[in-house]
């Protein structure tokens, strides 16, 4: 790791930008070149008796959704996907050779569309993972599903492999919106997919929905939520559409005039939340909803909810090992991200080189601020002094307290003892409020301006 990366905040580039979603802290924007020997050392130093989580990034999709903000590539043929699985298997073996056969508590397949994998390829990958890691006590094994790519056979193969949670990309049920985002999938397809998951015994289902998409109105949102309620998924993620055409060129295919404005977006989210809550869903964090029997609720009630790259999670493991292009590993020593370019990723693994390209060593101060931000993002409240004490380090929060007091004056926050709580009025500004504790975020703008004017996209 170069000098710039190990030095503290002053060294690190400070620039204005969109508000982070804080799926990690420091965010991936702060990652710098990472030497592979540092990453390998972190892998080798992982405690042998602690369970880890595994993340597999399958970057391929059959078709491009124009709203997509994920790291993915379209492959019209299956050949490259099959070849990719061969290489992913090599990466599993390479990493396990460094870590030893660690126990695993959580497995997550994300993408792209992991459901593009044929059952045989999924099975041979899981067989190798099982060989290299101890999967005897996996608590949650989740796969992200594009409903257009699964059938009964595939879903049965997930159950056989031990998958116990499926996350379905639904987005929106309105046909005009579906046409405008190039993502057409009928209600019947979702009915069939849900029936297949039920038959396979996979009952923990998440729906991904999005608000702020083209041509969505309060009426269409209401209809989408009502149709969703017909399926009663145990969990729902309701994301705000992130329109970043300068970064994701294909989003230019979505005309600006078709998009709801910030005020309409907020109204859409508020309406969806209201209907979901009226129907028994508990609101969790920024954008998740869950029914009482979903483990996310118990985790939340126990004060153990965490935020990771996949969003809100009950996974409390200190280590997440990422496989596949762009996958991020989070280890006690720091973050390491695999090279994102698929071709370069394949080359690196095939030539037995580490795929880790970027990352960041974590300082004690980073870890303290990470816990503060994660607590805020999960619970809308935080006691900075309590967390500071638990980390046994010194820090003067004067600047942060000045900003928090401005939020109290604006009624976006209130203080109870040393606990700062975000009020109902302040909830829409969660991400802006969290920036107060982000040591890499440009703090020159006034916090109230930041709440009102900075992009949530
Ligand atoms: C990797 S995809 C899920 C699996 C599968 N590829 C699919 O689309 O069904 C993860 C989720 O990210 C969300 N997503 C993708 N692009 C987004 C964007 N620009 N803004 C907000 N959410 C987005 C969608 O809800 C999507 O279901
Ligand atoms: S939203 Fe999902 S299916 Fe659509 S392009 Fe993105 S990753 Fe692929």
């Amino acid at each position: 790791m170069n000098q710039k990366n190990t030095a503290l905040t002053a060294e690190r580039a400070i620039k204005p930008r969109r508000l982070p979603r804080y799926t990690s802290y420091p965010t991936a924007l702060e990652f710098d070149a990472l030497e592979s020997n540092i990453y390998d050392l972190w892998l080798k130093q992982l405690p042998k008796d602690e369970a880890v989580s595994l993340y597999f990034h399958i970057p391929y999709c059959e078709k491009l959704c124009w709203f997509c903000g994920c790291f993915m590539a379209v492959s019209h043929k299956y050949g490259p996907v099959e070849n990719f699985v061969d290489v992913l298997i090599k990466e599993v073996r390479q990493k396990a050779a460094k870590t030893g056969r660690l126990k695993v508590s959580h497995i997550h397949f994300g993408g792209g569309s992991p459901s593009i994998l044929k059952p045989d390829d999924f099975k041979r990958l899981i067989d190798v993972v099982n060989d290299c890691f101890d999967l005897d006590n996996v608590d949650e094994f989740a796969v992200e599903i594009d409903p257009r790519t699964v059938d009964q056979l595939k879903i049965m193969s997930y159950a056989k492999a031990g998958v116990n949670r499926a996350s379905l990309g639904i987005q929106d049920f309105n046909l005009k919106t579906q046409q405008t985002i190039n993502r057409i999938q009928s209600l019947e397809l979702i009915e069939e997919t849900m029936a297949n998951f039920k038959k396979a015994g996979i009952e923990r289902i998440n729906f991904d929905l999005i608000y702020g998409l083209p041509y969505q109105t309060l009426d269409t949102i209401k209809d989408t939520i009502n149709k969703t309620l017909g399926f009663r998924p145990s969990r729902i993620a309701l994301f705000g559409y992130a329109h970043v055409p300068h970064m994701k060129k294909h989003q230019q295919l979505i005309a600006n005039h078709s998009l709801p404005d910030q005020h309409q977006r907020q109204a859409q989210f508020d309406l969806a939340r209201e209907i979901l809550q009226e129907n028994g869903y508990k609101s969790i964090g920024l954008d998740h909803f869950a029914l009482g029997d979903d483990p996310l609720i118990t985790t939340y009630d126990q004060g153990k909810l965490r935020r990771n790259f996949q969003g809100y999670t009950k996974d409390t493991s200190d280590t997440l090992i990422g496989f596949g292009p762009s996958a991020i590993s989070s280890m006690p020593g720091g973050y390491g991200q695999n090279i994102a370019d698929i071709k370069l990723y394949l080359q690196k693994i095939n030539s037995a080189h580490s795929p880790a390209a970027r990352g960041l060593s974590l300082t004690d101060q980073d870890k303290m601020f990470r816990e503060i931000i994660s607590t805020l993002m999960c619970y809308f409240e935080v006691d900075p002094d309590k967390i500071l004490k638990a980390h046994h380090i010194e820090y003067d929060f004067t600047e942060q307290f000045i900003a928090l007091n401005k939020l109290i004056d604006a009624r976006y926050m209130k203080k109870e003892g040393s606990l700062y709580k975000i009020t109902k009025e302040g909830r829409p500004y969660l991400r802006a409020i969290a920036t107060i504790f982000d040591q890499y975020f440009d703090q020159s703008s006034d916090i109230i301006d930041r709440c009102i004017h900075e992009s949530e996209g």
Side-chain angles (χ1 to χ4, degrees):
M1 180 165 302
N2 66 26
Q3 194 62 38
K4 189 168 151 224
N5 211 353
T6 48
L8 251 185
T9 55
E11 284 348 89
R12 285 166 174 169
I14 288 179
K15 47 196 178 290
R17 51 166 184 257
R18 288 184 313 123
L19 296 171
R21 300 185 65 81
Y22 293 117
T23 52
S24 72
Y25 177 80
T27 71
L29 290 168
E30 311 306 334
F31 294 177
D32 215 332
L34 178 70
E35 282 169 25
S36 55
N37 58 345
I38 294 182
Y39 182 79
D40 288 349
L41 187 69
W42 290 342
L43 284 172
K44 285 177 193 156
Q45 284 175 339
L46 289 175
K48 303 292 170 229
D49 51 349
E50 281 177 27
V52 299
S53 300
L54 307 179
Y55 173 74
F56 296 89
H57 192 83
I58 312 296
Y60 294 105
C61 295
E62 286 179 1
K63 222 175 157 189
L64 179 67
C65 307
W66 294 346
F67 70 92
C68 183
C70 304
F71 174 72
M72 52 71 65
V74 172
S75 185
H76 298 294
K77 293 188 192 139
Y78 192 71
V81 182
E82 193 177 359
N83 177 48
F84 172 77
V85 174
D86 294 341
V87 177
L88 197 56
I89 283 174
K90 282 188 195 164
E91 188 190 1
V92 172
R93 291 200 193 281
Q94 283 169 13
K95 282 194 169 146
K98 295 182 179 107
T99 61
R101 194 168 182 271
L102 299 176
K103 280 181 278 185
V104 174
S105 64
H106 282 69
I107 302 177
H108 191 106
F109 273 71
S113 297
S115 49
I116 200 172
L117 299 182
K118 286 187 178 165
D120 283 354
D121 285 324
F122 190 70
K123 181 177 182 312
R124 67 193 179 95
L125 172 59
I126 295 304
D127 284 349
V128 173
V129 176
N130 195 16
D131 199 28
C132 295
F133 293 91
D134 175 355
L135 305 189
D136 286 352
N137 291 300
V138 171
D139 178 17
E140 192 160 275
F141 184 167
V143 181
E144 291 178 15
I145 306 285
D146 173 351
R148 300 167 302 172
T149 62
V150 284
D151 55 17
Q152 195 176 351
L153 206 70
K154 253 188 202 177
I155 293 175
M156 283 300 185
S157 78
Y158 296 146
K160 268 195 207 133
V163 171
N164 58 14
R165 172 173 291 283
S167 182
L168 271 57
I170 303 291
Q171 326 309 353
D172 189 270
F173 283 113
N174 179 262
L175 184 59
K176 188 171 179 188
T177 296
Q178 289 191 357
Q179 284 165 339
T180 315
I181 59 175
N182 199 35
R183 171 74 184 237
I184 297 175
Q185 52 188 29
S186 65
L187 188 65
E188 291 70 36
L189 175 72
I190 306 306
E191 281 167 354
E192 193 189 322
T193 306
M194 289 293 278
N196 283 335
F197 274 110
K198 196 162 186 202
K199 260 185 239 154
I202 301 174
E203 305 264 2
R204 294 188 205 166
I205 303 287
N206 172 82
F207 270 24
D208 281 347
L209 300 175
I210 307 185
Y211 67 91
L213 285 173
Y215 300 113
Q216 281 179 328
T217 63
L218 290 181
D219 282 345
T220 69
I221 286 281
K222 192 172 170 188
D223 184 60
T224 287
I225 298 293
N226 282 335
K227 289 197 167 105
T228 297
L229 288 173
F231 296 106
R232 276 197 98 61
S234 61
R235 203 181 288 181
I236 294 166
L238 178 59
F239 300 121
Y241 170 45
H243 188 59
V244 284
H246 55 290
M247 286 159 67
K248 299 280 172 188
K249 295 275 178 255
H250 54 258
Q251 290 185 349
Q252 288 171 4
L253 294 163
I254 295 177
N256 280 335
H257 69 79
S258 67
L259 293 171
D261 64 22
Q262 191 54 41
H263 178 75
Q264 290 164 326
R265 282 170 64 103
Q266 189 61 48
Q268 291 175 1
F269 179 78
D270 289 344
L271 177 68
R273 183 179 52 198
E274 194 185 313
I275 305 175
L276 289 172
Q277 285 178 331
E278 276 168 6
N279 285 278
Y281 284 86
K282 185 165 174 170
S283 164
I284 304 265
L286 191 65
D287 46 21
H288 278 48
F289 297 85
L291 287 175
D293 56 357
D294 190 288
L296 205 61
I297 301 275
T298 332
T299 313
Y300 178 87
D301 290 343
Q302 290 169 344
K304 290 184 186 161
L305 189 69
R306 297 258 289 264
R307 191 153 165 79
N308 69 8
F309 303 107
Q310 283 79 56
Y312 292 97
T313 174
K314 68 191 278 281
D315 180 5
T316 51
S317 163
D318 280 340
T319 299
L320 173 78
I321 306 176
F323 303 89
S326 82
I328 300 176
S329 299
S330 169
M331 292 181 270
Y335 295 113
Q337 181 171 29
N338 280 359
I339 193 152
D341 185 286
I342 299 176
K343 215 168 133 196
L344 293 179
Y345 164 82
L346 299 174
Q347 279 171 7
K348 286 217 176 229
I349 300 289
N350 279 330
S351 57
H353 285 107
S354 164
R358 298 169 64 71
L360 182 145
S361 296
L362 284 165
T363 66
D364 289 345
Q365 219 175 75
D366 287 333
K367 289 180 187 175
M368 189 266 297
F369 279 112
R370 173 167 70 177
E371 191 176 340
I372 290 182
I373 287 179
S374 172
T375 307
L376 259 178
M377 296 299 292
C378 291
Y379 289 96
F380 288 88
E381 62 180 41
V382 72
D383 183 340
D385 283 328
K386 193 171 157 195
I387 292 177
L388 179 67
K389 249 187 226 146
H391 281 255
H392 308 290
I393 59 171
E394 304 260 313
Y395 190 83
D396 179 357
F397 285 126
T398 303
E399 278 178 27
Q400 286 78 8
F401 288 150
I402 291 172
L404 290 171
N405 285 332
K406 283 187 187 172
L407 291 166
I408 292 172
D409 291 343
R411 297 181 193 277
Y412 292 162
M413 289 197 96
K414 61 183 179 182
K415 192 170 177 227
E416 289 173 7
S418 52
L419 184 69
Y420 289 84
K421 287 183 159 187
I422 299 179
T423 60
K424 189 165 169 269
E425 292 73 21
R427 285 180 82 92
Y429 309 122
L430 173 64
R431 284 159 66 183
I433 292 171
T435 62
I436 292 175
F437 295 99
D438 182 342
Q439 294 289 283
Y440 307 93
F441 196 88
D442 177 3
Q443 300 289 339
S444 61
S445 64
D446 183 75
I447 183 60
I448 305 295
D449 283 348
R450 208 178 300 162
C451 286
I452 293 170
H453 298 300
E454 297 225 3
S455 161
E456 290 269 331

